[in-house]
Amino acid sequence: MTSGGDAPGMNAAIRAVVRTALYNNCEAFGIYGGYQGLIEGEIRQLGRYDVSNIIQRGGTILKSARSVEFKTVEGRARAAQQLAEHQIDALVVIGGDGSFTGAKYLIQEHDIPVVGVPGTIDNDLYGTDSTIGYDTAVNTAVEAVDKIKDTASAHNRLFFVEVMGRDAGFIALRTAIATGAEAVLVPEIETDLTDLEHFLEREYNPKNSSGIVIVAEGEKSGGAYTIAEKVAQKHPDYDIRVSVLGHIQRGGSPSQFDRVLASQLGAAAVDALMDDQKSIMLGIMNKEIVHVPFNKTIKHTKNLNPELVPLVRILSV
Ligand code: ADP
């Protein structure tokens, strides 16, 4: 099952789960439409050819959805009943922490073994260096910002570019460093507008230079439009533009990194179930596959890499 927000590489994970199950002489079933699909019995058996030619495709062939009903005890009882009726005795959920929270309740209430595979572009899951889809989303954002830089430079403009990431600044920070942005604003660090303005006064001259400020969508003072407006009020001489990259960051063919990561984690998920494990997320830390209890990944917040945070400022001196 894929659940919650979709991410490029989810298909590669589905393929890995199905093929590893078959390799181990198990049967594999696909649940269509996340937990809501499970409740409604949208379940089909998958053979090896059902997952052919999908490793390179974005989105998810199993579709994804959000389910309010699954958040209720009754909804989860219906879900468990569907699993029993289809003689399914273990479940792999590819999703984010919301999906893992739901999985945890399903395990507690119905004793069904569930393991999780981290699939989200936001990279906001504790216990894994990278989530499936993050690398591709950053590549997409970098490509877009490179293009914006061309036009910014042609007109000596200052661009505020908003990237995705929900409440986390991982996509923003990495994109900022990879594109040589002048500044980055993330939810994890309170925005100091005065400091930003002083910095821009030194670094950006509307007569002969351009600038890029990357803003994470979860930035706490209101996002790219609000900040751009505040800066414009103080500096009417600046030639300011805002670009919100939006959903292009969720689509597209997954990078080789995400395909390999998804293949490894999908296979490891089946291995873990064969090994009688449950209530864990498979992750990757320092290139090693790790088992992280759902409780831990749900409870803890992953921090931004502290070495990368000061780098944006240092490198735009
Ligand atoms: P993600 O998995 O990407 O974080 P969501 O937060 O939307 O995405 O969660 C996906 C689905 O997981 C929800 O639609 C819901 O069905 C289920 N879910 C999320 N939180 C809970 C919860 N507290 N209890 C039970 N189910 C939950």
Side-chain angles (χ1 to χ4, degrees), residues 54-71:
I54 63 167
I55 194 167
Q56 76 281 23
R57 283 168 52 193
T60 155
I61 61 158
L62 294 180
K63 312 273 181 185
S64 193
R66 300 205 150 95
S67 169
V68 179
E69 201 177 345
F70 192 79
K71 290 189 172 179

Side-chain angles (χ1 to χ4, degrees), residues 3-5 35 66-67 70-71 76 95-99 101-102 105 166:
S3 173
Y35 287 126
R66 300 205 150 95
S67 169
F70 192 79
K71 290 189 172 179
R76 292 191 291 273
D97 61 350
S99 302
T101 306
Y105 291 129
R166 266 211 307 206

Side-chain angles (χ1 to χ4, degrees), residues 147-157 159 209-210 239:
K147 288 176 180 164
I148 289 169
K149 273 186 88 160
D150 288 344
T151 173
S153 158
H155 291 278
N156 293 335
R157 282 180 176 149
F159 264 85
S209 69
S210 60
D239 191 359

